[in-house]
Amino acid sequence: MPFLGQDWRSPGWSWIKTDDGWKPFEFFGNDLRDNNNEFQLEVLVNENKENMYAGDVCEVAAKKRKKDYVNNNTKSQFLYKEKWIFVQKESTRERHGYCTLGEAFNRLDFSSAIQDIRRFNYVVKLLHLIAKSQLTSLSGAAQKNYFNVLEKIVRKVLDDHQNPRLIKSLLEDLSSVLSILIREVGKCVLIGNINVWVCRLETILNWQQQLNNLQIPKQISSGKTLSDLPLHMQNNILYKFSDACDIINLGQATPTLHMLSEDRQLWKKLCQFHFAEKQFCRHLILSEKGHVDWKLMFFTLQKYYPKKEQYGDTLHFCRHCSILFWKDRHLALLFKDSGHPCTANDPDSCLTPVSPQHFIDLFKF
């Protein structure tokens, strides 16, 4: 049989991704030599054999450092734009292999999802959960994709000044995880050179510094503002919030909003939205006047129980086809498109919204 693989006698090509597609990269080109002068090693070559051998060793080391530098700085996105993937948990006669968390993260279009305001919080929460427990289980390509998507999120927040609190929390936990992994190198398996992980940690610390220095400019508008609305309309807006920090921050804007944000009924509704009534009975907190302090109860309950997650849009899982996909609501309304090639008679009845934690649990086998 003919040998179809790469010739083992050849050193092979190194490929880089450019705007015009993939192109072979020559490590000893003039461009690389000019850009990587800092990696040049001074080799003293003498006529004796020992110095010649030392020179060969230093040359090999220089080549390796050049290659690590190029691989670390190559902007290979490893991004796909697939709307759906088949989730396979075991090998069958028809299909061999299985789908991993890293493969799903690579193939689903998370890079475009962060541009959708309905999906932004969902993707950030998923990155947060992966950073806490699943980062080392990702493949090398998935890790590159993870940090590329994270970079796009940080750039987006720095540009539009929206959701900085979410990203600060994500970067804080991620920096802690990376510090532990780097400090305990050898006890855990890290894919790639340790210098790559150190470089990632330095990048995250730099992003944190940029977010801490972020100054949101005051918007000057000649039209009506939130304070110009009637009290009942301002109160209705506060009742639409599901995040306690957003209510507190909005209450610091004006004295009127502060008064509305301290309303007992508002915090009671927030407690009822996130927690069950059985949980209220275990942690009743009364004020000096004998009334239930719902605001204090909310912050007490969130220490013991998880809050209800709410997202504008999520991934969906079809139980009939075992397909995970992004559902386009516009196409679903116009063309009754289920978002994936479903063979069920009623595709909508087979769909299940997938929370970020459920997404990770799908690939635990």
Side-chain angles (χ1 to χ4, degrees):
M1 293 180 62
F3 182 69
L4 301 179
Q6 184 181 5
D7 189 352
W8 61 272
R9 295 166 296 182
S10 170
W13 289 94
S14 180
W15 296 80
I16 59 173
K17 190 174 184 180
T18 65
D19 295 337
D20 299 329
W22 289 89
K23 292 185 178 181
F25 183 79
E26 297 181 4
F27 287 101
F28 301 99
N30 294 328
D31 296 337
L32 181 64
R33 189 179 299 111
D34 294 337
N35 294 332
N36 297 329
N37 289 331
E38 57 178 318
F39 293 103
Q40 297 295 333
L41 297 178
E42 297 180 357
V43 181
L44 300 177
V45 180
N46 298 325
E47 294 181 357
N48 55 58
K49 295 182 178 179
E50 293 182 358
N51 289 339
M52 291 178 62
Y53 176 75
D56 293 339
V57 172
C58 291
E59 184 180 358
V60 172
K63 293 178 183 178
K64 186 178 184 303
R65 295 182 64 183
K66 290 178 184 178
K67 185 176 181 180
D68 290 341
Y69 177 81
V70 172
N71 289 339
N72 186 38
N73 288 275
T74 300
K75 293 295 184 179
S76 299
Q77 299 293 326
F78 294 98
L79 295 178
Y80 297 83
K81 292 187 177 181
E82 297 186 20
K83 297 298 182 182
W84 60 270
I85 61 170
F86 178 77
V87 180
Q88 184 174 350
K89 295 187 177 182
E90 60 184 4
S91 297
T92 62
R93 178 178 288 181
E94 295 79 12
R95 292 176 178 266
H96 295 279
Y98 54 91
C99 184
T100 63
L101 175 64
E103 182 182 356
F105 188 82
N106 276 343
R107 293 175 59 188
L108 289 170
D109 191 9
F110 287 100
S111 181
S112 298
I114 62 177
Q115 304 300 329
D116 190 337
I117 190 173
R118 300 171 304 168
R119 299 175 179 175
F120 182 84
N121 290 359
Y122 181 86
V123 177
V124 172
K125 181 63 175 180
L126 179 59
L127 293 182
H128 207 152
L129 293 177
I130 292 177
K132 288 183 177 180
S133 60
Q134 302 294 325
L135 188 60
T136 55
S137 67
L138 298 180
S139 63
Q143 289 177 6
K144 265 189 175 180
N145 189 17
Y146 178 93
F147 286 98
N148 286 330
V149 173
L150 181 59
E151 180 180 4
K152 290 186 176 183
I153 290 177
V154 174
R155 297 305 172 199
K156 184 178 186 299
V157 172
L158 292 174
D159 291 338
D160 59 22
H161 302 153
Q162 295 182 8
N163 299 304
R165 180 167 52 87
L166 288 176
I167 311 306
K168 285 182 180 180
S169 177
L170 167 59
L171 294 180
E172 183 179 356
D173 290 343
L174 184 57
S175 62
S176 300
V177 171
L178 291 185
S179 299
I180 295 174
L181 292 177
I182 293 172
R183 187 168 59 249
E184 298 181 355
V185 62
K187 297 181 181 179
C188 57
V189 179
L190 294 180
I191 298 178
N193 194 305
I194 184 63
N195 294 328
V196 175
W197 289 90
V198 173
C199 180
R200 288 170 176 170
L201 179 58
E202 292 175 351
T203 302
I204 292 171
L205 296 177
N206 184 28
W207 289 339
Q208 286 181 302
Q209 187 66 29
Q210 294 181 40
L211 289 173
N212 291 332
N213 297 333
L214 180 64
Q215 297 292 334
I216 300 178
K218 184 177 180 180
Q219 296 182 357
I220 301 176
S221 176
S222 58
K224 288 188 177 182
T225 62
L226 182 62
S227 302
D228 298 328
L229 297 176
L231 286 180
H232 71 278
M233 295 185 67
Q234 297 184 38
N235 195 39
N236 290 338
I237 292 175
L238 282 170
Y239 270 78
K240 299 297 182 182
F241 285 14
S242 61
D243 193 325
C245 293
D246 291 338
I247 295 177
I248 294 176
N249 291 336
L250 185 60
Q252 296 173 354
T254 63
T256 302
L257 288 172
H258 176 72
M259 178 193 66
L260 295 175
S261 66
E262 296 295 327
D263 183 20
R264 290 180 59 253
Q265 292 299 322
L266 173 64
W267 289 98
K268 180 180 179 180
K269 290 288 185 181
L270 196 64
C271 288
Q272 293 175 343
F273 176 79
H274 286 284
F275 309 107
E277 292 186 3
K278 294 182 179 179
Q279 299 168 346
F280 296 166
C281 301
R282 300 176 185 176
H283 302 278
L284 274 178
I285 301 177
L286 301 179
S287 62
E288 296 178 355
K289 297 181 179 180
H291 301 296
V292 178
D293 192 338
W294 291 103
K295 181 178 180 180
L296 187 57
M297 260 191 67
F298 175 85
F299 290 103
T300 303
L301 289 170
Q302 73 172 2
K303 296 179 182 178
Y304 299 98
Y305 309 104
K307 293 184 295 183
K308 183 179 179 180
E309 296 182 358
Q310 187 180 33
Y311 305 102
D313 193 12
T314 67
L315 285 166
H316 288 75
F317 182 73
C318 180
R319 299 185 301 272
H320 179 76
C321 308
S322 296
I323 285 179
L324 188 67
F325 65 98
W326 290 109
K327 185 175 181 180
D328 194 324
R329 298 184 181 275
H330 297 290
L331 293 178
L333 293 174
L334 293 176
F335 306 106
K336 296 184 178 180
D337 184 10
S338 62
H340 70 289
C342 188
T343 58
N345 294 328
D346 187 8
D348 292 337
S349 62
C350 304
L351 302 185
T352 302
V354 179
S355 66
Q357 184 59 54
H358 186 200
F359 178 86
I360 294 177
D361 294 340
L362 278 175
F363 305 98
K364 288 183 178 180
F365 26 78

